[in-house]
Amino acid sequence: PHYCRTTSNSRRQLQHDLLRVYQRENHEDFSCLVLPSGMAAIGAVLTTLVQKCFANTTSTSTSVQGGDNASSPYLLVHGNELYYEVQHTIDYTLCNGSNFEAVPVNVCNRNAVLQLFQERGSQIRIFYWESSTNPSSQMLNMDADDFAQLRALAPQCIFVCDNTWLSGIAWN
């Protein structure tokens, strides 16, 4: 017998049931992973995306170093106000020694976000922000047209919105 806090029969059943709810339980291309905390989910998503970006660079003619030339890294753009453990995960786990550079931006300042994407869009691979920042509850100041513009400026970018802090319990 094994003891583990991260897996159980109940968790496996929940993962199976979620696949069933979304009618994906019999599809080999789909899987479900239930994690024990928000930080575990954030770390898993960001780590997977960084690894995916790195794998894509090594399997194509694109430079492993990143953007437009060999000396420019890929960018992981993130909101300038993050829960400490998220910032720590980005700086010391994902970007330390990799071909990623972490670049903070004030997500409450629409012009600052657009300017960063205009200047360095070809390098941006991940844009991570919190729907409501922790701890001050600031909100992203962008609409659907703005996101379409960001997508045009950084077509390789994956957009990741963390909705952990803006939960139903905290905001009802």
Side-chain angles (χ1 to χ4, degrees):
H2 300 321
Y3 171 75
C4 182
R5 293 181 183 198
T6 60
T7 189
S8 68
N9 288 336
S10 296
R11 184 168 292 161
R12 280 189 289 277
Q13 185 62 47
L14 174 59
Q15 291 170 168
H16 173 76
D17 289 348
L18 285 169
L19 286 170
R20 189 172 40 81
V21 165
Y22 289 99
Q23 300 174 354
R24 300 291 190 244
E25 76 270 23
N26 294 320
H27 297 270
E28 290 181 20
D29 294 338
F30 293 91
S31 61
C32 178
L33 180 62
V34 175
L35 297 164
S37 71
M39 272 311 304
I42 292 164
V45 167
L46 291 177
T47 300
T48 300
L49 293 177
V50 166
Q51 289 173 347
K52 178 181 180 210
C53 289
F54 184 74
N56 288 343
T57 63
T58 58
S59 65
T60 67
S61 61
T62 306
S63 166
V64 174
Q65 293 297 317
D68 297 326
N69 60 56
S71 64
S72 59
Y74 287 129
L75 302 183
L76 188 159
V77 175
H78 61 82
N80 64 334
E81 180 181 278
L82 296 175
Y83 176 62
Y84 171 77
E85 294 299 328
V86 174
Q87 185 71 57
H88 182 80
T89 298
I90 289 171
D91 290 341
Y92 298 103
T93 305
L94 301 176
C95 294
N96 189 18
S98 76
N99 64 328
F100 271 86
E101 174 187 343
V103 178
V105 66
N106 181 352
V107 296
C108 299
N109 182 337
R110 176 186 172 276
N111 292 332
V113 175
L114 290 171
Q115 181 178 350
L116 178 60
F117 272 70
Q118 288 166 349
E119 292 173 357
R120 300 186 73 184
S122 66
Q123 293 175 268
I124 299 172
R125 292 300 181 268
I126 300 171
F127 178 32
Y128 173 89
W129 74 96
E130 295 174 340
S131 58
S132 174
T133 64
N134 182 354
S136 70
S137 301
Q138 297 175 16
M139 303 288 231
L140 180 75
N141 184 23
M142 305 198 81
D143 61 24
D145 291 335
D146 293 327
F147 278 103
Q149 186 176 358
L150 295 180
R151 167 61 64 215
L153 293 167
Q156 299 294 322
C157 180
I158 298 170
F159 295 82
V160 180
C161 178
D162 173 4
N163 202 44
T164 307
W165 187 245
L166 188 60
S167 68
I169 291 194
W171 292 90
N172 277 336

